[in-house]
Amino acid sequence: MKSIRPIVILSIMLLFMNLSVSEAQTTANISYTVSFPEAQAHYADIEMHISGLKQNVLDLKMPVWTPGSYLVREYAKNIESFSAEAGGKPVAAPKINKNTWRIAVKGKTAVTVKYRVYANEISVRTSYIDASHGFLSSSGIFIYPANMLHQPSTIHIKPYQNWAKVSTSLEMVNGDPFTLRAPNYDILFDSPIEVGNQDVFGFDASGVKYEICMYGGGNYDKERLKKDVHKIVEQEAAIYGENPNKHYVFIVHNHLRGGGGLEHLSSTVLGASRDAYGTDKGYQSFLGLVAHEHFHLWNVKRLRPIVLGPFDYDNENYTTNLWIAEGFTEYYQEIIVRRTNLYSPENYLDQLAGEFNILENLPGKNVQTVAESSFDAWIKAYRPNENSNNTTISYYNKGAIIGMMLDLEIINDSKGLHSLDDVMKYMYTEYYKTKKRGYTDAEFKQGFEKFAGKKLDDFYKNYINGLTPVDYNKYLGYAGYKITDELADNNDPALGLTTVTTANKKVIVTSVSRGTSAYIDGINVNDELAAIDDNLITDASSMLNGKKTGDKINVGIIRDGLPLTLPVTLLKSTRVKYKIEPVDNATPQQLLVRKKWLSL
Ligand SMILES: [Zn+2]
């Protein structure tokens, strides 16, 4: 049974009543032709043809967001020159709201619509077109007929100049790479399309055809990449017991400085730096990104919170569970790379300690729970401001730490018999495969409890819906590890702010941490730090040289063009820098948990 929220059902019913949409609509035939006559100026020209219409009114809409990236991006802002015709004659197509065009089609069975999309934003979730290639992020390219998300469509690609290849997980029609078929709009919007002369290579893994499509060049070693990505793919499929795709595409955009990734059902888009493949750090970080986005093909694309599909493309889709959808994916990306032996155990533990340090150095850890962080992704995580560190945490970061806590708890309680893997596989089988729907908060909690062998009410109260500090040594202790703070003996003072130095050597405050000297004594973001006592500030990193915790100093600032002197009492830096180390004399149980956890 597919679960659709009551409000969606209601709005669909209203649409049916208002627009007299008939059942015959299911026979509508929809095709798009995408051409690039002005690729050099970042344009795609779209021609959409719909036939088999039997209604009086046709509303055409553009999604306001891309699933996986939780921000309303208003893709309709990039559309221009929208026109429609029927029977060879122009018909009116007025906009009725920010992302909907309405066409009166009474007595007409077919309509052709033309529009242009300006695509000049380089990111994994926005389209980008220039003379060298076209990257189509489908939810920002294709308008869809309201109430026809279930409809299939055909996409014809007319490449620009010498572009010779199309890379996408959409199926080709009759073996023609420039003619594609989408079985419905959820699949179309979940299938980015790369057109150009990308470097394509691949491998087969457990019966699935994998393609890696590299745009932009880079110092990657194809054979090494194929081998290592293959290992990651196999490790991840082993967790869930199956690889549900037939064909999977990695679209990789290499830039001078690139990063980020966006997951899709049968593909992913990754950003990378061209020279990243040449260093251990850069290469490991790329493999971590591969492991992350590929893991999503199960976690969030199939095993998903109940509101994340079927999607509402007009509005925010709220969930308190991004700490599982994203946080656990963050946890697994590193542990999977560890399992392939591409990370040593020490590499892995250093990376994990880095996650602890991010959370523990954020004042927002005392303000926002991980469930709240998930829910407010739309207005907070994706719209940070200068005060975000004081008020928010990342559901990626704390979610990864919670993944570690639950993994270790389950391994310890089951004496190495079970792990978080079993929860993921059980939830995937139970909800995606058997019940064919998303999960609720309570259902995932029951999944944890099934393998933890106990109720997790207190765990949820403390860590998911509460602000209880994480007891790292309790969880790491299960595996015979502990944290030590390398800065524990540090008594140096700190102002508790970050700065940027401008081209003309002005030191400007960019953030102020709650509870620090700067926060308490009133230094603000955008203040120019001009002097401390009688010494002019030329370098932020040395401005406290010679000062001690407890010193009272005068900070000369320029605020809104006016000079001001603020008396400041220097407090001790509160920063921590954890390192994970083995305990002395680990017990057999601790060694057993360690072995299972780190795949030793
Ligand atoms: Zn992710």
Side-chain angles (χ1 to χ4, degrees):
M1 190 185 88
K2 270 207 189 284
S3 174
I4 301 177
R5 288 169 303 153
I7 192 164
V8 175
I9 293 171
L10 183 65
S11 63
I12 288 172
M13 282 169 57
L14 288 173
L15 267 171
F16 269 84
M17 291 188 305
N18 286 350
L19 304 180
S20 314
V21 176
S22 78
E23 285 296 312
Q25 239 181 30
T26 53
T27 61
N29 206 327
I30 304 170
S31 67
Y32 299 87
T33 301
V34 185
S35 59
F36 307 90
E38 293 188 322
Q40 84 290 346
H42 316 292
Y43 278 96
D45 285 41
I46 321 289
E47 185 171 320
M48 178 193 194
H49 188 74
I50 316 179
S51 59
L53 293 171
K54 293 196 174 171
Q55 68 246 57
N56 295 334
V57 173
L58 176 68
D59 281 350
L60 295 169
K61 302 176 75 70
M62 173 142 277
V64 303
W65 71 292
T66 299
S69 185
Y70 306 101
L71 177 67
V72 170
R73 291 181 193 274
E74 313 291 21
Y75 292 116
K77 72 186 176 188
N78 296 320
I79 291 190
E80 60 186 82
S81 304
F82 195 100
S83 67
E85 59 178 58
K89 292 186 189 140
V91 291
K95 279 188 92 166
I96 58 166
N97 62 34
K98 65 181 182 181
N99 65 326
T100 310
W101 291 257
R102 176 163 287 177
I103 304 173
V105 291
K106 190 174 183 183
K108 299 178 175 71
T109 57
V111 173
T112 299
V113 172
K114 294 178 185 172
Y115 58 95
R116 314 190 76 200
V117 178
Y118 181 67
N120 189 21
E121 186 180 347
I122 295 179
S123 85
V124 294
R125 62 242 164 171
T126 48
S127 299
Y128 180 82
I129 296 162
D130 66 16
S132 69
H133 79 137
F135 171 64
L136 308 179
S137 181
S138 302
S139 52
I141 293 287
F142 299 103
I143 54 169
Y144 68 95
N147 198 37
M148 290 196 215
L149 284 170
H150 61 285
Q151 284 280 354
S153 57
T154 306
I155 299 100
H156 304 279
I157 306 280
K158 286 189 174 173
Y160 175 72
Q161 293 188 353
N162 66 340
W163 295 355
K165 296 181 194 171
V166 174
S167 298
T168 178
S169 58
L170 289 172
E171 293 299 315
M172 289 183 281
V173 177
N174 298 328
D176 172 8
F178 298 101
T179 304
L180 308 164
R181 184 80 173 155
N184 57 55
Y185 280 96
D186 285 323
I187 301 283
L188 178 58
F189 294 148
D190 206 15
S191 303
I193 304 169
E194 174 75 20
V195 193
N197 292 309
Q198 58 274 20
D199 184 14
V200 181
F201 49 96
F203 57 89
D204 286 347
S206 51
V208 182
K209 182 175 175 249
Y210 276 84
E211 280 183 307
I212 301 173
C213 310
M214 292 284 194
Y215 164 78
N219 60 351
Y220 51 88
D221 173 339
K222 281 187 211 183
E223 294 310 313
R224 185 183 181 200
L225 256 186
K226 279 199 275 188
K227 200 165 69 148
D228 292 343
V229 174
H230 192 159
K231 283 184 196 165
I232 288 168
V233 163
E234 297 285 10
Q235 284 289 345
E236 294 187 344
I239 293 172
Y240 293 94
E242 69 167 17
N243 194 332
N245 285 301
K246 288 198 179 75
H247 176 206
Y248 187 94
V249 182
F250 289 97
I251 297 173
V252 187
H253 292 153
N254 294 299
H255 292 285
L256 177 63
R257 287 288 162 262
L262 185 63
E263 69 275 9
H264 299 284
L265 201 61
S266 309
S267 62
T268 181
V269 185
L270 310 178
S273 300
R274 278 184 209 109
D275 63 359
Y277 307 91
T279 62
D280 283 351
K281 196 165 176 247
Y283 189 63
Q284 284 183 347
S285 152
F286 180 75
L287 292 179
L289 181 63
V290 165
H292 181 108
E293 302 305 337
H294 187 263
F295 192 80
H296 271 313
L297 81 83
W298 293 275
N299 190 29
V300 92
K301 294 315 305 184
R302 291 177 172 85
L303 169 60
R304 60 178 174 78
I306 204 153
V307 303
L308 293 185
F311 297 110
D312 176 349
Y313 293 103
D314 279 346
N315 298 290
E316 292 86 349
N317 292 224
Y318 295 105
T319 170
T320 52
N321 280 314
L322 294 181
W323 59 274
I324 297 174
E326 286 297 350
F328 281 24
T329 304
E330 187 88 348
Y331 173 64
Y332 269 103
Q333 78 173 55
E334 303 299 333
I335 209 121
I336 287 290
V337 179
R338 163 63 213 125
R339 283 181 197 174
T340 59
N341 270 324
L342 296 163
Y343 267 173
S344 67
E346 292 71 30
N347 269 162
Y348 173 71
L349 294 173
D350 284 350
Q351 185 284 329
L352 186 61
E355 293 280 8
F356 300 169
N357 294 332
I358 291 170
L359 182 66
E360 295 308 317
N361 288 317
L362 268 186
K365 72 182 174 176
N366 299 317
V367 176
Q368 191 186 44
T369 70
V370 77
E372 290 166 347
S373 170
S374 300
F375 194 86
D376 276 339
W378 301 87
I379 58 165
K380 293 192 176 181
Y382 275 88
R383 288 182 182 163
N385 66 15
E386 72 289 344
N387 201 36
S388 291
N389 286 353
N390 289 328
T391 61
T392 65
I393 56 159
S394 156
Y395 47 79
Y396 287 85
N397 169 239
K398 192 167 179 187
I401 292 169
I402 287 166
M404 175 211 74
M405 293 160 79
L406 286 169
D407 199 10
L408 283 167
E409 184 85 43
I410 294 168
I411 297 172
N412 186 62
D413 286 356
S414 67
K415 298 196 164 26
L417 201 62
H418 296 298
S419 70
L420 190 60
D421 290 10
D422 296 286
V423 180
M424 302 308 283
K425 183 177 182 179
Y426 167 75
M427 293 300 292
Y428 175 75
T429 309
E430 189 71 10
Y431 291 94
Y432 171 68
K433 297 197 72 177
T434 307
K435 294 191 166 76
K436 301 186 192 312
R437 64 167 172 85
Y439 57 79
T440 65
D441 288 26
E443 285 163 348
F444 218 114
K445 179 165 167 283
Q446 284 163 12
F448 292 131
E449 289 171 342
K450 183 178 166 66
F451 290 94
K454 61 186 173 198
K455 286 280 181 197
L456 290 174
D457 294 352
D458 284 346
F459 186 93
Y460 266 67
K461 199 170 106 207
N462 288 326
Y463 301 119
I464 310 304
N465 300 309
L467 300 168
T468 306
V470 177
D471 183 351
Y472 296 101
N473 282 332
K474 173 184 167 186
Y475 294 93
L476 290 174
Y478 293 147
Y481 288 109
K482 62 178 181 185
I483 50 167
T484 51
D485 179 6
E486 292 182 323
L487 299 178
D489 298 331
N490 175 33
N491 199 36
D492 291 344
L495 282 170
L497 46 74
T498 58
T499 59
V500 66
T501 303
T502 65
N504 54 359
K505 303 270 188 232
K506 290 182 176 176
V507 175
I508 309 292
V509 178
T510 51
S511 73
V512 175
S513 280
R514 179 174 289 153
T516 62
S517 310
Y519 183 95
I520 292 165
D521 290 323
I523 298 176
N524 289 179
V525 167
N526 292 330
D527 285 348
E528 177 191 341
L529 300 180
I532 286 185
D533 294 335
D534 292 326
N535 301 317
L536 292 179
I537 295 172
T538 52
D539 174 12
S541 67
S542 61
M543 65 188 172
L544 291 185
N545 281 359
K547 305 293 181 194
K548 298 189 301 296
T549 294
D551 284 357
K552 294 183 188 312
I553 60 174
N554 286 312
V555 180
I557 63 165
I558 297 172
R559 179 179 294 170
D560 190 28
L562 302 174
L564 190 64
T565 298
L566 294 172
V568 171
T569 303
L570 286 174
L571 302 177
K572 179 177 169 319
S573 166
T574 55
R575 288 193 75 75
V576 296
K577 190 176 177 197
Y578 289 131
K579 190 170 168 45
I580 299 174
E581 293 177 325
V583 298
D584 295 332
N585 306 317
T587 65
Q589 162 89 6
Q590 285 174 318
L591 293 174
L592 179 146
V593 172
R594 184 186 296 178
K595 189 165 184 293
K596 171 90 173 170
W597 180 42
L598 297 180
S599 311
L600 299 174

